[in-house]
Amino acid sequence: MRTLLCALAAVALAACGGPTTSDLPEDPLIQPDRIELNFGADFGNAVYVDSSLSDTIQLQNGGKQQLTISKVELSGPDAAFFSVTGQPKTAVESTKSTFVQVTYAPTEPGSHKATLTITSNSKTNGTLTITMAPSALWKYKTAGLVTDSAATPKALAGMKVTCVKPKGASCTGESDCLTLGLSCIELTCQNSKWKGWDATTGADGKFSAEHSWDCGEILVQDPAAAPTYASNVGPFTPKSEITVKLSDVYKVKGKVVEKATTTGLAGIKVSCEAPKSAPLSWKGWSPTTTGGDGTFSNTHVWPCLDLYAEDSTNTYKPATGVWSTATVGVTIEMEKN
């Protein structure tokens, strides 16, 4: 569009008695369409941390002789956030144009300053400088409070709050995700540059996180080696105020017996099956092995759909036992193969 407008302007100037080729200076002359890059800031386009935006400078040769561009460089305190993603032609004929594209990809918020320097054989401005000072900001701010589930809730300090990666539509290759602007990762369409965050609650149980990423879920965990509280999973809106209550860890115990008897079966592995609506971050617990009397017990932070019992010797058929957070004990009957 910019090239078309410039061409129309040139035609209009000629028609109105404006400069012609014979009016141009003999020496090459580099003429930028702008000397500042704002990366869309003037048009209401926010630049978010961990995203990117590109802008293009048009360079016209306003002299009769060939313009030669020898170097394009970035410098300044925040040059690391900028890159030249479209190099200009090195030789530009009289009245012709070339273009330089620069991409701004901030990884932290704030105003970022850098200079684009273009070196050429232009006698008037052989060292042309383009200034850049765009600002980046976080897209979301998530804040919340974590307490226990007591009648009078107590603020919980040191709880880990995690932004869990969302998963999109299923895919078998990159082509399945192109229209979404995503990549095929782990057989689902995902943002390949996605970065989550981890926050920790303070003494008052509060946390906050500034980020540019959607969360599939927000997971709250007790990070202690022997946790006191069970995990709590969203989904929560990533830019909302969140209140989370944590309950005591789940305690499960029971006995595996031979069907139609009360004989306890030793050495049977009992594991936690994922509930049907299991969150992305759901984790069961490692199999617990029954003792000599067939009993087992486990303490864990995740709820189970059922308990699954299997015999590594294949003497008994696998079996399930119905369990809920309110169940005191579970009896699982196994019958011989």
Side-chain angles (χ1 to χ4, degrees):
M1 178 63 76
R2 185 184 293 128
T3 304
L4 176 61
L5 290 174
C6 291
L8 291 173
V11 171
L13 283 171
C16 299
T20 63
T21 305
S22 60
D23 297 323
L24 299 178
E26 191 66 29
D27 295 324
L29 176 62
I30 189 169
Q31 295 178 316
D33 63 345
R34 288 167 294 158
I35 57 172
E36 293 181 358
L37 283 182
N38 55 38
F39 296 92
D42 292 345
F43 306 101
N45 295 326
V47 182
Y48 295 120
V49 175
D50 290 318
S51 66
S52 63
L53 197 63
S54 297
D55 205 346
T56 303
I57 289 283
Q58 179 181 354
L59 305 171
Q60 185 177 38
N61 180 4
K64 291 182 179 179
Q65 295 182 20
Q66 178 178 281
L67 174 69
T68 302
I69 297 175
S70 56
K71 191 183 296 184
V72 178
E73 293 179 298
L74 286 166
S75 61
D78 302 307
F81 296 139
F82 301 85
S83 61
V84 177
T85 49
Q87 292 282 351
K89 294 187 294 185
T90 56
V92 184
E93 299 300 322
S94 176
T95 71
K96 301 299 183 182
S97 296
T98 187
F99 301 88
V100 180
Q101 184 184 64
V102 179
T103 297
Y104 174 49
T107 56
E108 55 187 58
S111 178
H112 301 130
K113 297 181 180 180
T115 300
L116 176 69
T117 303
I118 302 168
T119 306
S120 71
N121 63 341
S122 175
K123 296 296 176 69
T124 304
N125 52 353
T127 303
L128 174 66
T129 58
I130 309 294
T131 61
M132 300 176 289
S135 294
L137 62 150
W138 293 110
K139 188 174 184 180
Y140 302 123
K141 181 172 182 178
T142 301
L145 172 67
V146 181
T147 67
D148 62 21
S149 57
T152 303
K154 179 182 69 176
L156 298 180
M159 296 295 111
K160 183 181 178 184
V161 185
T162 306
C163 175
V164 180
K165 188 170 189 172
K167 287 189 176 181
S170 60
C171 60
T172 56
E174 291 298 305
S175 60
D176 296 337
C177 306
L178 283 179
T179 57
L180 302 173
L182 303 174
S183 299
C184 188
I185 302 171
E186 299 172 349
L187 299 181
T188 58
C189 293
Q190 301 177 19
N191 185 334
S192 60
K193 297 181 180 180
W194 188 92
K195 298 175 186 175
W197 46 263
D198 290 315
T200 304
T201 58
D204 57 359
K206 294 181 179 180
F207 69 91
S208 64
E210 293 179 304
H211 52 113
S212 288
W213 304 94
D214 274 316
C215 305
E217 299 162 343
I218 294 179
L219 169 64
V220 183
Q221 296 169 288
D222 181 351
T228 302
Y229 297 98
S231 297
N232 182 295
V233 179
F236 302 103
T237 304
K239 55 186 175 181
S240 65
E241 293 289 327
I242 298 168
T243 300
V244 180
K245 290 186 177 181
L246 295 184
S247 303
D248 292 341
V249 291
Y250 301 115
K251 295 179 175 63
V252 57
K253 62 181 180 179
K255 187 174 183 179
V256 179
V257 300
E258 186 173 346
K259 189 172 183 179
T261 75
T262 58
T263 304
L265 299 179
I268 303 298
K269 292 196 299 183
V270 182
S271 51
C272 175
E273 286 195 308
K276 292 178 180 178
S277 58
L280 298 173
S281 47
W282 190 94
K283 297 175 185 176
W285 36 271
S286 299
T288 297
T289 305
T290 57
D293 59 356
T295 61
F296 65 90
S297 64
N298 205 319
T299 301
H300 55 110
V301 297
W302 299 94
C304 306
L305 172 65
D306 288 315
L307 302 180
Y308 181 71
E310 55 187 328
D311 176 13
S312 59
T313 67
N314 202 33
T315 302
Y316 294 90
K317 298 177 182 179
T320 57
V322 178
W323 172 81
S324 72
T325 57
T327 303
V328 175
V330 179
T331 298
I332 302 175
E333 291 188 326
M334 301 185 76
E335 59 180 327
K336 287 188 175 180
N337 276 317

